[in-house]
Amino acid sequence: MTDLLTAAASPGTASPGDAARTATGARRVLRRLRARRAALPAAAVLALLALLALAAPLFAALEGQDATTYHDDLVDSARGGVPLGSFGGISADHWLGVEPGTGRDMFVRLLYGARVSLAVAVGATLVQIAVGVAVGLTAALGNRLVDGILGHLTDVMVALPLLVFAIALTAVVPAGFPRPALLVVVIGLIAWGSLARVVRAQALALKKLDHVAAARLTGASEWRIARRELLPALAAPVITYAAILLPANMILEAAMSFLGVGITPPTPSWGQMLSSAQTWFRADPLYVVLPASMLFVTTFAFTVLGDALRGALDPREASRLRVGRRGRASRTGGAA
């Protein structure tokens, strides 16, 4: 990764040699990523989920259902709205059954819920990256006063009880404001503190490198140094941290929707579906299992892929693996 970061952060116009080193470094990272057995299945699960979410209207048309139509004839009103039939009303017309009480199609609502959950998680992560990188770089490149002010602000944001503060903000916003956009803004503008700390620490270390000092001696402005010298080298840690933020943001959206201050009906969301399912877990267990399983599998895949990405972008990880293999080989040879 050192070659990749050095090539990406070198000042001036990139030469063919720089491009070749960058390509070689990228291939090296991909090779390390492929060497991790859990990375490929996790990436495949996330790619499949993204494909299903993007193609939700197509699958809804294929099944012949939508996410908001009520089917009163598919629930037993005498039993409080329990779906008729086995396994939550699974049939040729409703592939995963129907929602208790309303009869809405579960398969389509799960797909559209994936759209909402992924969109909120990705959008909030992008906002966190933008704010965290901006604050961290400004603190690292600014004078002592700027660094102190931004440092205290970052400490306050890190110390804030995120879920409680997000609930308080969403509770006072008018009901007509789009909830997915509101969650993106609220989560993104509150939970950037940890990323800002990472960026500041990395930028302070990068400032001591020779090519950054050389750029400063040539009269380059702080903005040019940040854009040409620091930002390319910060790509690896920021990408790694973003892979950790994504599942955390998805869980946060689900928790807020579960508590009734996130996504509101009729817009489907996995958290909102779990909130409704808490009264049906005995009569229709599948209504709880489906959204909970989707949420668990998605966050687990994001976590596994993020861990694999961290190792692939960290050259010290590969060195530790080589040392470990050599140690095992030497012990095996000695035992033989």
Side-chain angles (χ1 to χ4, degrees):
M1 187 183 70
T2 305
D3 296 338
L4 174 61
L5 298 183
T6 304
S10 57
T13 304
S15 65
D18 294 334
R21 286 192 295 271
T22 301
T24 302
R27 285 194 295 268
R28 187 181 300 115
V29 170
L30 290 176
R31 187 169 61 251
R32 292 174 186 164
L33 195 59
R34 287 196 299 267
R36 296 176 173 271
R37 297 179 181 179
L40 185 58
V45 168
L46 294 176
L48 177 61
L49 178 66
L51 178 63
L52 290 173
L54 291 174
L58 178 62
F59 283 103
L62 184 64
E63 191 191 25
Q65 305 295 334
D66 60 63
T68 57
T69 300
Y70 283 46
H71 299 281
D72 296 332
D73 57 321
L74 298 179
V75 296
D76 188 354
S77 58
R79 298 172 56 197
V82 177
L84 296 172
S86 304
F87 303 105
I90 292 178
S91 64
D93 295 327
H94 301 278
W95 299 345
L96 292 179
V98 296
E99 188 179 57
T102 65
R104 293 180 293 196
D105 186 79
M106 279 290 295
F107 176 72
V108 177
R109 288 185 66 80
L110 281 174
L111 292 186
Y112 277 95
R115 272 189 159 192
V116 173
S117 296
L118 287 174
V120 170
V122 172
T125 301
L126 292 177
V127 174
Q128 288 170 318
I129 290 173
V131 178
V133 170
V135 172
L137 271 179
T138 304
L141 295 175
N143 55 34
R144 184 173 299 179
L145 176 61
V146 172
D147 188 20
I149 293 174
L150 293 179
H152 289 305
L153 176 61
T154 302
D155 292 339
V156 170
M157 300 308 294
V158 171
L160 277 178
L162 177 59
L163 185 59
V164 175
F165 198 68
I167 290 174
L169 287 180
T170 53
V172 299
V173 175
F177 195 89
R179 285 285 159 164
L182 175 62
L183 292 181
V184 167
V185 173
V186 169
I187 296 174
L189 292 182
I190 294 177
W192 52 263
S194 298
L195 180 59
R197 282 181 170 179
V198 171
V199 171
R200 176 185 175 275
Q202 293 287 331
L204 288 175
L206 291 170
K207 282 175 61 176
K208 302 175 182 179
L209 298 181
D210 293 340
H211 66 87
V212 178
R216 184 173 283 108
L217 288 176
T218 60
S221 63
E222 295 294 337
W223 164 245
R224 182 181 178 86
I225 291 174
R227 183 167 54 90
R228 289 290 188 90
E229 315 299 339
L230 299 184
L231 281 178
L234 288 170
V238 169
I239 291 173
T240 303
Y241 204 84
I244 300 173
L245 289 175
L246 274 168
N249 290 337
M250 185 170 289
I251 291 293
L252 182 59
E253 180 275 322
M256 295 177 65
S257 298
F258 180 84
L259 295 174
V261 294
I263 305 300
T264 54
T267 303
S269 164
W270 293 342
Q272 182 259 325
M273 293 173 71
L274 284 172
S275 177
S276 303
Q278 61 182 329
T279 59
W280 299 98
F281 69 95
R282 293 185 184 274
D284 186 12
L286 199 62
Y287 187 36
V288 181
V289 170
L290 287 175
S293 299
M294 294 290 288
L295 186 61
F296 171 77
V297 169
T298 305
T299 54
F300 184 72
F302 268 125
T303 303
V304 170
L305 186 60
D307 183 69
L309 190 61
R310 176 194 59 78
L313 291 170
D314 186 1
R316 295 170 298 180
E317 185 76 12
S319 300
R320 285 193 292 267
L321 289 175
R322 284 196 296 269
V323 170
R325 284 195 293 267
R326 289 171 185 169
R328 287 195 297 271
S330 62
R331 287 194 297 272
T332 304

